[in-house]
Amino acid sequence: MSHKNPSLFDKSIIAPAIGDSFRKLDPRLMVKNPVMFVTLIGAILTTVAIFTSPGERGFVLQLAIWLWFTVLFANFAEAVAEGRGKAQADSLRKARKDTMARRLKGGKEEKVAAPLLDKGDLVVCESGDIIPADGEVIEGIASVDEAAITGESAPVIRESGGDRSAVTGGTRVISDRIVVRITSEKGNTFLDRMIAMVEGAKRQKTPNEIALTILLSALTLIFLLVVMTLKPFGTYAGITFTTPVLVALLVCLIPTTIGGLLSAIGISGIDRLIRRNVMATSGRAVEAAGDIDVLLLDKTGTITIGNRMASDFVTAPGVTEQELADAAQLASLADETPEGRSIVVLAKEKFNIRGRELLHPHATFVPFTAQTRMSGVDIEGRSVRKGAADSVKQWVEDQGGIYPQDVAMAVEAASRAGRTPLVVADGKHVLGVVELKDVVKGGIKERFAHLRKMGIRTIMITGDNPMTAAAIAAEAGVDDFMAQATPEDKLQRIRAEQAAGHLVAMTGDGTNDAPALAQADVGVAMNTGTQAAREAGNMVDLDSNPTKLIEIVEIGKQLLMTRGSLTTFSIANDVAKYFAIIPAMLMVTFPAMAALNIMKLGSPQSAILSAIIFNALVIIALIPLALKGVPYKPMGAIAVLRRNMLVYGLGGLIGPFIGIKAIDIIVTTLNLA
């Protein structure tokens, strides 16, 4: 998927958007936006008035033209936002090919078109094959090219029986063979949902957007009633209010600016998220991200780099550091974990101890298990072990050995320092401790401080013991932590935070994370994770980067800030229009009303026309801001409100006075009114 953010003036977007602006004039579509629907009706009535007002035909014609522009500009804003998404959808469609699948039935393979696959079918995919639909690997391991979905060229590993078993339809197998169980319904694959979301075809209004639409509709209805009553009152007072003038007043009274940009703001918010390779199942999730105030993050791979590395050898009494390093390396020769390899490397770097031959005829390697929590080797009468302190202690004592108090103190000191201690023993003799350091990612502390300014509390989740967890939490700068956390603990913590009135976000990739992802207000599943996790979350990170949750929150907040800022601006700039139109309507009959003409506009007609022109132009001027979003800065709610009132409130109040006056000068100079 392309990561490029197309320019607003990209011809491939602008040209279709212009056509869509006219197609969106369909009343069945316009009625979904009450503010612009009323404006459309006003444009129609004004157009009709051209033929019924011969004395003012030129003036009415200009009013009609700019009213139509107002509606078209609003449609254009929405069409441009949708067009940016459609450009991405086109690239995604290239990945959705009607391929032939090799379905397993009765132990035999049969070829069937991918769209005909049912949920639960088993398909075979080998090197070069396109995976026909979403599914889960139940047999084998393979390299998969997901560039069509993620934009990343590097292949990823997909295998059965783990948290990297989910595969996406449209991706290509690079090597080896896998058997995939189809998990998606016909026409409802991940790619189908992604295309629909990108295009906005299935975009549902979010709760805040619905609430704002209701408010705008109520304001429109109130002002409509006000304007309708002016006609009989004017007749009573001896003032003739023509239909075009009343329409102009109504359009300037109602919040047309935010009404015209509201859809574009919502669509562009989802668009910005997708450009960061995050797929949201609904706009509701994007909006919820903006209100998040509690963030749950895994330690490993999110806060820390993820691979613990050997950093120090701490010896038992009477043991040299080289003896400890030699035994630790010996116990780690068959350990293919990053931790095991790092011990081999550290021993080599500090003491130039070279790795032994793994195929020693008398060597028996003991693999690590969850039960023993130890690994090691039996060689030439020696039994060397390394592992968790309590496990090695029990093993040594079972052989009649003594576990030194100095080693116990070293283990505790390492844990307090945020390191993971591995005790090494040779038979019944404890040799010392290997300290593994889990490196905190660079800049993560600053990012958490950034979140704190936003009013978001961060909670680190880890399976480490409390002392190690506390040390890592302090180094990373998180607000709280959960040590030795189980899936049930995560779920319970989320529920507790929600019960206290907080909105919670978290990440996860495994089947055991699914309940917590489903419970969280914003659950971000990793694309590399299981199908259960992807279905439970309301967002999927295609890059499988857990730290992206921070960016998601920022995008959500930017969406809410943009909507709030432009709403403030829209309501504020209506004030200037009142001072333009109302005096223009009344000062001929009531000369005292001329005092309200503080802008000293040329004539009643030029005042009305200038206000309508400004009303149309401000929509087109704000389209880039609606699409890009208001520049985001981490600050509390009070600070955001203060900035909104200063920049968009005061700016929205003063700007139109300047703009309308400038347009009036042009209109008067050109004798347009």
Side-chain angles (χ1 to χ4, degrees):
M1 193 170 74
S2 174
H3 297 270
K4 184 180 179 182
N5 192 9
S7 168
L8 176 63
F9 303 103
D10 192 328
K11 292 181 181 178
S12 64
I13 294 176
I14 295 296
I18 293 173
D20 287 341
S21 301
F22 288 91
R23 282 189 285 272
K24 289 177 177 291
L25 291 174
D26 185 340
R28 293 170 296 181
L29 299 175
M30 293 295 300
V31 76
K32 296 177 181 178
N33 187 337
V35 176
M36 300 318 299
F37 181 70
V38 169
T39 306
L40 174 65
I41 299 299
I44 295 171
L45 292 174
T46 305
T47 303
V48 173
I50 296 172
F51 306 98
T52 59
S53 306
E56 301 181 330
R57 187 164 292 171
F59 170 66
V60 176
L61 175 62
Q62 292 180 78
L63 280 181
I65 290 172
W66 284 104
L67 287 171
W68 282 111
F69 275 153
T70 303
V71 179
L72 288 170
F73 288 163
N75 289 347
F76 179 75
E78 184 177 21
V80 169
E82 291 175 348
R84 287 153 70 93
K86 288 175 181 177
Q88 295 181 72
D90 290 339
S91 66
L92 289 170
R93 283 195 180 90
K94 295 177 182 177
R96 190 179 62 179
K97 299 176 181 177
D98 291 339
T99 58
M100 296 300 293
R102 296 159 58 188
R103 184 169 61 184
L104 286 176
K105 205 164 187 177
K108 296 181 180 180
E109 290 185 15
E110 62 176 14
K111 287 194 174 182
V112 60
L116 299 178
L117 290 172
D118 292 314
K119 186 177 181 179
D121 282 347
L122 301 181
V123 296
V124 176
C125 298
E126 293 182 328
S127 179
D129 290 346
I130 300 290
I131 296 174
D134 298 349
E136 200 154 16
V137 179
I138 62 169
E139 182 184 317
I141 181 172
S143 295
V144 179
D145 179 6
E146 296 185 339
I149 306 297
T150 66
E152 298 294 331
S153 57
V156 295
I157 301 298
R158 294 289 179 263
E159 59 185 329
S160 62
D163 291 343
R164 297 179 179 268
S165 60
V167 291
T168 304
T171 57
R172 182 185 297 273
V173 178
I174 301 297
S175 66
D176 302 297
R177 176 183 183 274
I178 53 175
V179 178
V180 177
R181 178 188 290 116
I182 304 301
T183 56
S184 60
E185 303 285 353
K186 293 177 182 177
N188 193 35
T189 66
F190 180 77
L191 202 57
D192 289 322
R193 296 196 304 272
M194 191 170 181
I195 291 171
M197 182 59 64
V198 168
E199 289 186 319
K202 293 186 178 180
R203 193 183 83 87
Q204 295 180 339
K205 289 184 177 182
T206 63
N208 281 349
E209 195 173 349
I210 292 171
L212 185 55
T213 301
I214 293 171
L215 174 62
L216 298 180
S217 301
L219 288 174
T220 301
L221 181 60
I222 291 169
F223 287 126
L224 180 61
L225 293 173
V226 170
V227 171
M228 288 175 64
T229 59
L230 284 179
K231 187 79 170 178
F233 278 120
T235 302
Y236 177 78
I239 307 171
T240 302
F241 292 129
T242 63
T243 298
V245 170
L246 290 174
V247 169
L249 175 62
L250 176 61
V251 171
C252 288
L253 284 173
I254 64 178
T256 49
T257 304
I258 186 61
L261 297 172
L262 191 58
S263 294
I265 294 169
I267 295 170
S268 62
I270 295 174
D271 178 67
R272 287 195 294 275
L273 197 66
I274 290 171
R275 291 188 188 283
R276 287 167 174 81
N277 266 0
V278 178
M279 167 64 184
T281 57
S282 70
R284 182 188 297 266
V286 186
E287 189 175 89
D291 287 326
I292 288 299
D293 55 0
V294 175
L295 203 57
L296 271 65
L297 304 104
D298 282 324
K299 183 202 74 168
T300 306
T302 303
I303 294 172
T304 63
I305 293 175
N307 294 332
R308 292 174 296 184
M309 311 299 288
S311 58
D312 288 294
F313 296 113
V314 182
T315 61
V319 180
T320 67
E321 191 175 351
Q322 184 165 351
E323 289 174 335
L324 172 59
D326 182 79
Q329 189 193 67
L330 191 62
S332 303
L333 289 176
D335 187 349
E336 290 299 320
T337 64
E339 294 89 343
R341 290 195 295 269
S342 73
I343 293 173
V344 175
V345 171
L346 183 64
K348 179 182 176 181
E349 289 178 348
K350 293 193 74 170
F351 302 104
N352 200 30
I353 303 174
R354 301 288 174 178
R356 285 75 158 185
E357 176 59 56
L358 289 177
L359 299 178
H360 194 287
H362 304 293
T364 303
F365 292 99
V366 180
F368 175 89
T369 67
Q371 288 73 33
T372 64
R373 297 195 297 156
M374 294 189 303
S375 63
V377 62
D378 295 331
I379 183 172
E380 297 179 339
R382 298 173 65 189
S383 295
V384 184
R385 298 289 186 272
K386 75 171 195 305
D390 55 345
S391 298
V392 175
K393 178 183 179 182
Q394 186 64 52
W395 185 77
V396 168
E397 291 177 346
D398 287 345
Q399 296 183 82
I402 298 174
Y403 190 80
Q405 183 62 30
D406 288 3
V407 172
M409 292 172 65
V411 168
E412 185 174 347
S415 297
R416 289 187 185 277
R419 302 185 178 189
T420 301
L422 294 179
V423 178
V424 180
D426 188 347
K428 61 182 181 180
H429 302 291
V430 178
L431 302 180
V433 177
V434 181
E435 292 185 355
L436 302 178
K437 187 177 182 180
D438 205 352
V439 181
V440 173
K441 290 182 176 179
I444 198 74
K445 190 170 186 176
E446 289 74 17
R447 299 197 75 176
F448 288 143
H450 183 89
L451 288 170
R452 199 170 294 112
K453 290 180 181 177
M454 296 159 54
I456 298 172
R457 183 160 49 91
T458 52
I459 302 173
M460 183 186 77
I461 306 170
T462 178
D464 287 340
N465 65 70
M467 287 191 297
T468 301
I472 295 290
E475 185 179 353
V478 295
D479 299 306
D480 198 2
F481 66 90
M482 292 175 61
Q484 299 175 331
T486 65
E488 292 76 18
D489 293 333
K490 295 179 189 178
L491 184 61
Q492 190 174 356
R493 181 62 180 265
I494 291 172
R495 286 173 174 170
E497 295 288 350
Q498 290 172 330
H502 299 292
L503 289 178
V504 183
M506 75 158 288
T507 62
D509 61 359
T511 300
N512 59 0
D513 292 324
L517 286 170
Q519 181 66 37
D521 299 284
V522 177
V524 184
M526 302 294 102
N527 191 44
T528 57
T530 63
Q531 190 68 23
R534 297 206 305 183
E535 290 179 355
N538 46 29
M539 292 188 187
V540 177
D541 178 19
L542 302 179
D543 296 330
S544 301
N545 177 11
T547 61
K548 197 168 299 174
L549 187 57
I550 298 172
E551 295 179 52
I552 292 170
V553 172
E554 291 180 351
I555 291 171
K557 286 192 173 295
Q558 188 185 34
L559 172 64
L560 295 178
M561 287 175 62
T562 301
R563 191 182 293 148
S565 298
L566 293 187
T567 300
T568 303
F569 180 88
S570 178
I571 294 173
N573 75 23
D574 285 344
V575 175
K577 301 170 199 173
Y578 306 158
F579 280 95
I581 289 189
I582 293 177
M585 292 174 62
L586 300 174
M587 65 184 181
V588 174
T589 306
F590 303 106
M593 294 294 293
L596 296 177
N597 184 20
I598 59 178
M599 288 181 278
K600 305 300 179 184
L601 302 178
S603 67
Q605 288 190 335
S606 73
I608 295 170
L609 184 59
S610 298
I612 288 296
I613 292 174
F614 177 85
N615 193 65
L617 293 179
V618 77
I619 293 176
I620 204 77
L622 291 175
I623 288 178
L625 186 61
L627 297 180
K628 189 178 180 180
V630 171
Y632 173 77
K633 293 182 180 178
M635 56 181 71
I638 300 298
V640 170
L641 180 61
R642 190 182 297 116
R643 190 184 76 165
N644 269 5
M645 295 305 295
L646 183 63
V647 177
Y648 298 98
L650 187 61
L653 188 64
I654 297 173
F657 281 91
I658 300 171
I660 291 173
K661 179 61 180 178
I663 294 171
D664 177 72
I665 293 172
I666 297 171
V667 168
T668 303
T669 303
L670 298 176
N671 292 317
L672 297 176

